[in-house]
Amino acid sequence: VQLQASGGGLVQAGGSLRLSCAASLVTFSTYVMGWFRQPPGKEREFVAAISGSGDSTLYADSVKGRFTISRDNARNMVLLQMSSLKPEDTAVYSCAADAGRRLSLSSRFRYSYNYWGQGTQVTVSS
């Protein structure tokens, strides 16, 4: 299983970026997909998650209203549209896949996920 995140970069505060995660999962639509981030010197934290069908989403309070998670099951991809970026959004962003579960409050926690991809760096300058 491979999860490959891409789309990171350097952006000014107030700008936007779109992250993509390509997944080599045969039954991709059955997985809850999540985005996490690890700011410099800090623990990895939850950003957003989406149900297998894409009809339910969950966000961290810090990104609610600014970030949008979506998925394209035909292309085995999950996207994270990030807007109104702030310097505190600077982090390595990683995608993760959770097999056999429905989207729930536990989707906020790293232990819920079976597979992880390498991250992509997002740097927001002030």
Side-chain angles (χ1 to χ4, degrees):
V1 174
Q2 285 189 326
L3 302 175
Q4 182 63 54
S6 61
L10 175 63
V11 63
Q12 287 189 329
S16 299
L17 278 176
R18 190 178 78 162
L19 305 184
S20 300
C21 174
S24 66
L25 295 165
V26 176
T27 55
F28 178 72
S29 64
T30 67
Y31 286 77
V32 168
M33 297 298 296
W35 283 99
F36 286 74
R37 66 186 183 187
Q38 186 166 17
K42 296 185 178 181
E43 294 289 318
R44 186 177 288 181
E45 62 185 30
F46 171 73
V47 176
I50 188 167
S51 63
S53 64
D55 59 359
S56 298
T57 56
L58 188 64
Y59 294 94
D61 288 344
S62 59
V63 306
K64 203 172 293 183
R66 300 188 298 121
F67 290 11
T68 301
I69 188 171
S70 61
R71 66 190 296 158
D72 182 343
N73 285 344
R75 298 172 61 199
N76 278 27
M77 294 190 71
V78 60
L79 307 174
L80 186 68
Q81 178 66 47
M82 305 186 295
S83 302
S84 301
L85 283 161
K86 305 175 181 180
E88 52 262 43
D89 294 319
T90 294
V92 175
Y93 285 71
S94 301
C95 56
D98 172 8
R101 292 174 184 263
R102 292 187 176 184
L103 186 71
S104 69
L105 292 180
S106 67
S107 300
R108 299 172 298 168
F109 301 106
R110 289 173 285 175
Y111 64 71
S112 293
Y113 294 85
N114 307 92
Y115 305 109
W116 290 83
Q118 291 185 322
T120 185
Q121 176 70 47
V122 172
T123 302
V124 184
S125 62
S126 57

